[in-house]
Each structure stands twice: as structure tokens, then as C-alpha cells.
Amino acid sequence: MTKQPAELALMAAAGRLLASVFGMLDRVPLAGKSTLDIDTLVERFIVDDLQSRPASKGQYGYGFVLNSSVNEVVCHGVPSQSVVLRDGDIVNFDITLEKDGYIADSSKTYLVGDVDPVARRLVQTTYDAMWKGIRAVRPGARLGDVGWAIERHAKRNGCSVVREYCGHGIGREMHEEPQVLHYGTRGTGLTLHEGMVFTIEPMLNRGGRSVRTEADGWTVVTRDGSLSAQFEHTVAVTATGVSVLTLRPEEGGMLSAAKNL
Ligand code: MG
């Protein structure tokens, strides 16, 4: 579970490459594109421009490089030519990348065009909840501290936290120990120590937390049809705190307490 410095350097390199995928996506006008168009675009970028491997393709028999989860889709939305992004949608792209044997995992929820304030608030709350969880990571902290911080922020803002899916250790394998729950009790759970690497990836719903899986066996939606959002970073426990391996350039200030989120 603990990574050595040489492994951490490789994981940081994979994380930086994955961050650049989102940098590329940020410049793509999404309205009018299908989620399969985005999948194709991202696959070309990862393979041709970054000389890396899209780690999700082929994992568990999955045929695509990303999950595209629109509006009430919680996670694991399957890219499709028939799902065309429209003004007002929110869409999460969850992407993994392997370079030199190590995998990074990150996701971001995008606003497509003019999104109504309720949906914008859900997306912002989810992003802030992820950062609350990330800021709880340091040597000696417990995994329950992370989940507690996320759930508290969600509840305070009228959102529920999905419990069926969690963050995970990551390294040579996409899913390693431990499981990182996005709810919990402070002072409980695994004690964190330097060299651990895992994802924090809360899914928040505007309505109830219940979800169901659709007939395709992949797509997970909210039971009540309410909107759902997600953000994800891959983080490493350092000697004094946390390093966000998939940090994007515009997020440089997010770790500082001055933000007071
Ligand atoms: Mg993940």
C-alpha cells in the first residue's frame, strides 16, 4: 500500500499528464458534441500526444477511455453517439491514464453552456466537498476524518453523498487498498502514513442518496432522478500533509487554508 519515492515520482508524472488531459478538454466547446466524440478526442490525446495508455479501456471489459455521466447519471456513464451534450447540462468526465506502469485517476464535472443556479451550486458544493476531504489528509489522520469532512460539507449545503462508490488506493493497479469512503466518523478508520496514494472522488446528489444501475450494467443514476455531480483527484500522503498528483494549474491555491472552504 505504501509507495517508495521512485514510485511516487512516476505516479506524479502520470498525474501531471492526466491533468493536461483536462487542460485540453477545458478548451473544447462541449455543446452539440456527443459523449462518444469526447471519448474519441481524449483517446487520441492520451495515445498520440501524451504517448500514454488510457487505463480504463479494457479494464473490467470496458470499451472506452472515459466515463461520461450527464445530469442524473451518478457515475459510469458510457460514451455514446446518441448522448449529445446540450446547453444547460452538467457532465462528469472520469479519466484514467497509465504511464511507465503507474496509473492516475481524476474526474471533473463540466457546465455545458448556461447552467441553472441550482445545478451550478451542486457542482460547486461537490468540488468544495472534495477539497474538504483532501485537506483532511496528513500523516496520522484517519480515513474517517476524510469522509466526515466531505459528508458534513454536503449536508450543510443540502446535498446527499452516494455511498455505493468510494475512492481507492491506486498505483500499478487502478483499484488497490484501501477503500476511501466519502462519509464517516472523525477519528475512526485507517491511520494515514507517508507514501499512501489513493483517490478522493465524492459523488453528491441534489436529492436522495439512493442510486440504481441501468440495464446496460454500467450506467448508475439517481433513483429520484435528481442531478448528481462528482470530482476526483489522486492524492499522496507526504511527510507533512498531502500532495495532489492530478492537480491542474488553476488549482494551485486550493490546498491553502486561506481559501477557508
Ligand atoms: Mg477512481
Side-chain angles (χ1 to χ4, degrees), residues 139-152:
R142 311 284 290 268
L143 270 184
D145 302 345
V146 175
W148 177 83
I150 290 167
E151 187 179 36
R152 188 174 73 147

Side-chain angles (χ1 to χ4, degrees), residues 123-136:
V123 172
Q124 186 66 46
T125 298
T126 307
Y127 186 65
D128 294 343
M130 175 190 69
W131 278 104
K132 291 273 188 185
I134 290 172
R135 285 196 207 94

Side-chain angles (χ1 to χ4, degrees), residues 19 50-51 68 76 114 135 181 204 229 249-250:
L50 303 181
Q51 305 285 305
S68 49
H76 302 166
D114 191 17
R135 285 196 207 94
L181 304 184
L204 269 58
E250 73 275 15

Side-chain angles (χ1 to χ4, degrees), residues 182-243:
H182 303 116
Y183 60 95
T185 306
R186 273 196 292 186
T188 67
L190 189 73
T191 300
L192 303 181
H193 57 79
E194 185 181 359
M196 287 179 164
V197 182
F198 51 85
T199 69
I200 295 178
E201 49 179 304
M203 299 163 206
L204 269 58
N205 299 344
R206 190 71 193 87
R209 69 171 175 84
S210 296
V211 301
R212 64 177 174 82
T213 305
E214 293 197 325
D216 65 7
W218 287 105
T219 309
V220 177
V221 297
T222 55
R223 270 195 189 273
D224 61 11
S226 66
L227 290 175
S228 187
Q230 183 183 19
F231 285 88
E232 173 175 15
H233 271 311
T234 297
V235 307
V237 184
T238 65
T240 54
V242 61
S243 173

Side-chain angles (χ1 to χ4, degrees), residues 13-173:
R16 279 192 295 275
L17 290 171
L18 183 52
S20 78
V21 176
F22 289 96
M24 180 277 291
L25 263 185
D26 288 348
R27 297 190 293 275
V28 174
L30 296 176
K33 290 200 171 53
S34 75
T35 53
L36 186 60
D37 292 339
I38 304 299
D39 186 82
T40 303
L41 197 68
V42 168
E43 180 166 16
R44 287 192 186 134
F45 188 76
I46 290 176
V47 173
D48 297 341
D49 294 28
L50 303 181
Q51 305 285 305
S52 301
R53 184 177 75 86
S56 297
K57 195 165 185 172
Q59 175 100 351
Y60 309 122
Y62 192 66
F64 303 91
V65 306
L66 54 76
N67 293 123
S68 49
S69 301
V70 183
N71 295 335
E72 76 284 357
V73 178
V74 174
C75 64
H76 302 166
V78 180
S80 167
Q81 198 65 64
S82 66
V83 178
V84 176
L85 298 169
R86 294 172 306 182
D87 191 65
D89 284 342
I90 62 172
V91 56
N92 176 278
F93 295 117
D94 189 343
I95 307 173
T96 62
L97 176 155
E98 183 241 302
K99 183 73 172 178
D100 297 330
Y102 287 87
I103 299 173
D105 189 357
S106 185
S107 87
K108 175 176 177 178
T109 296
Y110 286 82
L111 307 173
V112 182
D114 191 17
V115 173
D116 78 54
V118 171
R120 293 181 90 96
R121 180 148 188 243
L122 169 69
V123 172
Q124 186 66 46
T125 298
T126 307
Y127 186 65
D128 294 343
M130 175 190 69
W131 278 104
K132 291 273 188 185
I134 290 172
R135 285 196 207 94
V137 174
R138 65 181 68 89
R142 311 284 290 268
L143 270 184
D145 302 345
V146 175
W148 177 83
I150 290 167
E151 187 179 36
R152 188 174 73 147
H153 189 74
K155 284 186 170 171
R156 281 181 166 181
N157 288 278
C159 300
S160 63
V161 177
V162 173
R163 295 195 167 196
E164 284 81 353
Y165 303 93
C166 57
H168 48 89
I170 186 167
R172 285 190 170 277
E173 301 295 330

